Amino acid sequence: MEMSRSSSFGLLLLLLGFLFVSSYAASDSVYDTFVQCLSSHSVPSDQASSIAYAQTNSSFTKVLQSYIRNQRFNTSSTPKPLIIVTPSDESQVQAAIICSRNIGIQLRIRSGGHDYDGLSYVSDVPFFILDMFNFQSINVNITDETAWVQAGATLGELYYRIWEKSRVHGFPAGVCPTLGVGGHFSGGGYGNMLRKFGLSVDHIVDAQIVNVNGSILDRKSMGEDLFWAIRGGGGASFGVILSYKIKLVRVPEIVTVFRVEKTLAQNATDIVYQWQHITDKIDNDLFIRLLLQPITVKNDNGSAKAEKSTKTVKVSFTSLFLGDATRLISVMNKDFPELGFKKEDCIEMSWIESVLYWANFDNGTSVNVLLNRTPESVKFLKRKSDYVQKPISKDGLEGLWKKIIELGKAGMVLNPYGGRMSEIPASETPFPHRSGNIFKIQYSVTWQEEGTEADKKYVNSMRELYSYMTPYVSKSPRGSFLNYRDIDIGISHNGKDSYQEGKVYGVKYFMNNFDRLVKVKTAVDPQNFFRYEQSIPPLPY
Ligand SMILES: Cc1cc2nc3c(=O)[nH]c(=O)nc-3n(C[C@H](O)[C@H](O)[C@H](O)COP(=O)(O)OP(=O)(O)OC[C@H]3O[C@@H](n4cnc5c(N)ncnc54)[C@H](O)[C@@H]3O)c2cc1C
Ligand SMILES: *[C@@H]1O[C@H](CO)[C@@H](O)[C@H](O)[C@H]1NC(C)=O
Ligand SMILES: *[C@@H]1O[C@H](CO)[C@@H](O)[C@H](O)[C@H]1NC(C)=O
Ligand SMILES: *[C@@H]1O[C@H](CO)[C@@H](O)[C@H](O)[C@H]1NC(C)=O
Ligand SMILES: *[C@@H]1O[C@H](CO)[C@@H](O)[C@H](O)[C@H]1NC(C)=O
Ligand SMILES: *[C@@H]1O[C@H](CO)[C@@H](O)[C@H](O)[C@H]1NC(C)=O
Ligand SMILES: *[C@@H]1O[C@H](CO)[C@@H](O)[C@H](O)[C@H]1NC(C)=O
Ligand SMILES: *[C@@H]1O[C@H](CO)[C@@H](O)[C@H](O)[C@H]1NC(C)=O
């Protein structure tokens, strides 16, 4: 079954030759070799050619674009995969791994395609995409409060399938319903219930993964080290995740949401200052996210001399409370009266309605919308992240407002921690940013103009804001969140310096857990087949 060493060496030479001649020709030749290899690894040959798309195939572009979730990587100059493989059963995943290894082409693994820097479908080296979108099944068992969820399922589908069976169960995961389970869970996974329940990975009880040899492993056969690694260390450094088994959580029949907005003229500075002091300590049922954005307000104060408009910062306080409005009001009055919160701000609803509310669907939208895999629009995005461990002073906030106004389009999302997050030890999962963090910042810029000029301008505005924030955020290392992929914090060329390069971003994402991830990697994939621009390196040998 295995190819002999000399034949794969010959193939490599052949391949390199083709790669230099023409990428289309190379793609076709690699395609034939790959499809043949699949059929010699127990994939029937009609199946083999129907799951793999060559660049010349008329559906190639459509398949590629189906799960691109950042327009920045949807341009004619974005590097394209030689082949897209779309397996629909496990044996096809096994064969795809073995054949990519034999041919010597790197895999990029994609589930929902939301990687902010496109690392699941873009690379500067020749690569195949292993696209897991066909792995969509979800089996919810309410009796034992668990579910098996395949990697290509979306969060919206998961929430829907839970809701079909129970109105008092939910799952703590991301807010955007089109996120894929494969990337989201393996990278940590957080949402608006993290203060009560922690991260998605805190509720994973089993998993199925295909390793570098093409073997399917579950928790028992993979062992606790690898099982630990794929709960926050990113899946794609270790293998291909087929599915996760999760433990559901109980949610109340009635939850309460609110959104309150304040501009600088409405005391936003004082309120944000105060929010920092209570947000990680307040009742665990309460999650209050802040969105900070520059806006322009019209002045209409009767004065002829008045400027027509003023630039200011708008702070939106968006909340989920796992309880009813009466209790929410008493919590707010006691611990956060500065917001000037009123009963009329409260909206009581079911948990599944709160999922729709947080995903910005209009009141009355059918729950079925969660089954829709295609977002309404895909824009150009750049994101970065930070952790804040000491409240920022009022002067610090005033400076920040100036910076945000000056940059004009960059925003920030502040997500409170504390509660359950502080109770779970930092080494429990690879995700290290637990106790001691008040909130996480997501830096965010979204734009619609095409072209490299716009790209440069907006990406630079993110970098400038990030640099401005240096004195206020975690240091040595400055923490980052893996799911908020950011190639600015370091990339690996996966050559002889891969360990040193990997350590640069690795300690930011994983802090003291980086070393254990490297050990696991060295044990399960010493040759570094499962590598990408921010993968965990094996120890150098
Ligand atoms: C609009 C938007 C909203 C977001 N909101 C949140 C949020 O609320 N909370 C949050 O935590 N994050 C959020 N994120 C970030 C998101 O969690 C990550 O981008 C996550 O990795 C997406 O998973 P995916 O499967 O869709 O992505 P993909 O791009 O498919 O994959 C991301 C990474 O995981 C790897 N991977 C994917 N599938 C597999 C697999 N089956 N086996 C092994 N490796 C795999 C990829 O190779 C890549 O490295 C958001 C992102 C976007 C674009
Ligand atoms: C494109 O690829 C798909 C999947 O392999 C295959 O089913 C289809 O026949 C191909 N189409 C063309 C025009 O080659
Ligand atoms: C990608 O670009 C094409 C135009 O080239 C557009 O039709 C398509 O909607 C875009 N898709 C995504 C996901 O951005
Ligand atoms: C659900 O879990 C219970 C308890 O473990 C088990 O007895 C039952 O067979 C499961 N149901 C399904 C459909 O798997
Ligand atoms: C701002 O705060 C001050 C002092 O706390 C208060 O007097 C004033 O009414 C507040 N303004 C607004 C718009 O809430
Ligand atoms: C009206 O707004 C302008 C700012 O544009 C300010 O200078 C002026 O004092 C305001 N006048 C009144 C009456 O509030
Ligand atoms: C949604 O609209 C209905 C009536 O159209 C109203 O009764 C209900 O309170 C609204 N719910 C929310 C969450 O706004
Ligand atoms: C993969 O197979 C090789 C050769 O049979 C073996 O040495 C290695 O231990 C296997 N690796 C894993 C992770 O199973």
Side-chain angles (χ1 to χ4, degrees):
M1 294 282 274
E2 291 282 315
M3 248 189 236
S4 77
R5 191 173 290 175
S6 65
S7 82
S8 53
F9 184 62
L11 189 65
L12 186 70
L13 285 183
L14 198 71
L15 255 171
L16 285 174
F18 274 113
L19 284 174
F20 286 116
V21 176
S22 139
S23 77
Y24 267 12
S27 163
D28 276 1
S29 131
V30 175
Y31 182 80
D32 292 343
T33 312
F34 183 73
V35 168
Q36 264 169 32
C37 176
L38 291 179
S39 11
S40 67
H41 285 85
S42 55
V43 179
S45 53
D46 57 325
Q47 268 187 28
S49 58
S50 74
I51 61 166
Y53 294 81
Q55 286 184 345
T56 47
N57 186 297
S58 53
S59 303
F60 176 89
T61 301
K62 186 174 152 276
V63 176
L64 177 63
Q65 289 180 355
S66 297
Y67 289 90
I68 289 180
R69 296 291 177 258
N70 187 344
Q71 278 280 26
R72 288 182 71 205
F73 308 108
N74 183 31
T75 71
S76 55
S77 58
T78 308
K80 303 291 186 290
L82 297 171
I83 300 175
I84 306 169
V85 196
T86 61
S88 51
D89 74 39
E90 297 167 351
S91 64
Q92 295 168 351
V93 176
Q94 296 175 285
I97 291 173
I98 293 166
C99 293
S100 308
R101 246 183 100 182
N102 284 352
I103 298 178
I105 294 282
Q106 293 184 28
L107 275 186
R108 291 295 176 271
I109 309 160
R110 182 163 78 171
S111 287
H114 288 72
D115 193 293
Y116 280 123
D117 277 329
L119 299 193
S120 56
Y121 56 92
V122 182
S123 177
D124 286 334
V125 302
F127 69 106
F128 296 165
I129 292 178
L130 182 65
D131 204 326
M132 297 293 289
F133 67 85
N134 284 317
F135 285 73
Q136 302 183 359
S137 96
I138 298 170
N139 279 310
V140 177
N141 185 336
I142 288 298
T143 314
D144 68 357
E145 302 182 296
T146 63
W148 272 105
V149 192
Q150 284 191 316
T154 67
L155 295 187
E157 290 162 353
L158 172 61
Y159 299 150
Y160 182 94
R161 296 298 165 205
I162 297 171
W163 168 79
E164 263 185 334
K165 298 216 162 143
S166 164
R167 304 295 146 102
V168 290
H169 287 85
F171 192 68
V175 161
C176 164
T178 56
L179 297 179
V181 159
H184 184 69
F185 287 6
S186 64
Y190 93 94
N192 55 18
M193 297 200 290
L194 105 165
R195 301 196 61 254
K196 175 79 171 186
F197 296 115
L199 303 171
S200 305
V201 290
D202 300 326
H203 302 267
I204 290 175
V205 293
D206 205 339
Q208 277 195 307
I209 184 172
V210 187
N211 77 359
V212 66
N213 287 349
S215 310
I216 299 177
L217 308 173
D218 64 5
R219 177 173 184 170
K220 198 155 169 238
S221 52
M222 81 178 80
E224 287 302 304
D225 277 338
L226 180 54
F227 183 62
W228 174 83
I230 58 170
R231 284 176 295 152
S237 299
F238 304 99
V240 177
I241 312 279
L242 295 173
S243 57
Y244 282 110
K245 185 183 187 185
I246 57 174
K247 185 88 186 158
L248 307 181
V249 301
R250 294 194 186 177
V251 295
E253 264 171 77
I254 298 286
V255 304
T256 308
V257 299
F258 68 81
R259 186 175 292 128
V260 171
E261 297 181 340
K262 301 284 177 186
T263 62
L264 298 184
Q266 295 165 325
N267 280 351
T269 310
D270 289 351
I271 304 171
V272 173
Y273 179 76
Q274 190 55 27
W275 172 87
Q276 300 179 96
H277 290 83
I278 56 97
T279 195
D280 61 324
K281 300 177 196 73
I282 206 162
D283 194 310
N284 289 2
D285 287 330
L286 181 56
F287 179 86
I288 310 175
R289 168 186 281 184
L290 268 51
L291 169 64
L292 319 177
Q293 291 169 289
I295 59 159
T296 302
V297 289
K298 284 216 170 76
N299 290 328
D300 188 15
N301 64 5
S303 154
K305 283 191 193 145
E307 308 244 353
K308 286 220 177 63
S309 61
T310 315
K311 290 186 170 146
T312 184
V313 172
K314 180 174 83 178
V315 181
S316 310
F317 298 79
T318 305
S319 175
L320 173 69
F321 180 66
L322 296 167
D324 63 22
T326 310
R327 187 157 69 89
L328 172 60
I329 291 162
S330 84
V331 171
M332 291 293 285
N333 285 346
K334 179 169 153 282
D335 293 325
F336 196 24
E338 293 79 2
L339 187 60
F341 184 74
K342 296 187 293 292
K343 187 169 186 295
E344 303 84 82
D345 297 319
C346 295
I347 315 172
E348 288 185 334
M349 53 178 67
S350 66
W351 178 75
I352 200 76
E353 285 170 333
S354 78
V355 169
L356 299 177
Y357 177 89
W358 269 77
N360 290 322
F361 291 108
D362 293 335
N363 179 17
T365 304
S366 156
V367 178
N368 290 330
V369 77
L370 294 176
L371 301 178
N372 189 352
R373 297 190 143 231
T374 317
E376 267 174 27
S377 67
V378 174
K379 303 200 172 97
F380 298 84
L381 327 166
K382 176 64 192 165
R383 302 287 189 265
K384 300 173 80 66
S385 59
D386 257 323
Y387 285 90
V388 175
Q389 299 170 334
K390 283 192 306 249
I392 302 170
S393 66
K394 285 189 192 177
D395 283 350
L397 291 175
E398 308 271 6
L400 174 58
W401 308 149
K402 272 195 201 130
K403 193 77 204 168
I404 289 179
I405 290 169
E406 173 199 320
L407 291 171
K409 204 163 166 80
M412 281 163 73
V413 184
L414 314 186
N415 289 287
Y417 272 46
R420 184 74 187 121
M421 287 300 280
S422 297
E423 294 165 6
I424 299 173
S427 60
E428 185 80 10
T429 70
F431 178 95
H433 313 292
R434 303 277 190 172
S435 121
N437 292 291
I438 304 176
F439 59 95
K440 173 181 65 193
I441 300 175
Q442 183 191 64
Y443 303 94
S444 155
V445 67
T446 302
W447 67 98
Q448 312 238 35
E449 305 101 287
E450 267 170 52
T452 49
E453 279 309 302
D455 195 277
K456 216 165 150 181
K457 179 172 97 187
Y458 293 120
V459 172
N460 278 342
S461 75
M462 282 285 89
R463 292 179 183 154
E464 200 176 327
L465 186 54
Y466 185 77
S467 158
Y468 180 83
M469 288 300 287
T470 310
Y472 305 107
V473 299
S474 69
K475 329 182 156 41
S476 318
R478 184 171 182 174
S480 285
F481 177 35
L482 180 65
N483 268 352
Y484 288 170
R485 173 86 62 204
D486 178 9
I487 56 170
D488 297 351
I489 67 168
I491 63 162
S492 175
H493 300 87
N494 285 303
K496 67 176 173 33
D497 299 326
S498 70
Y499 178 76
Q500 285 312 325
E501 288 174 343
K503 196 169 173 168
V504 173
Y505 52 83
V507 298
K508 294 174 185 160
Y509 285 141
F510 307 112
M511 321 259 282
N512 292 332
N513 294 328
F514 176 68
D515 288 343
R516 184 171 174 197
L517 286 169
V518 169
K519 274 191 203 130
V520 177
K521 170 72 178 183
T522 310
V524 305
D525 183 22
Q527 311 284 330
N528 204 11
F529 170 68
F530 287 111
R531 62 190 186 270
Y532 65 98
E533 288 68 13
Q534 282 192 338
S535 53
I536 302 293
L539 279 173
Y541 42 65

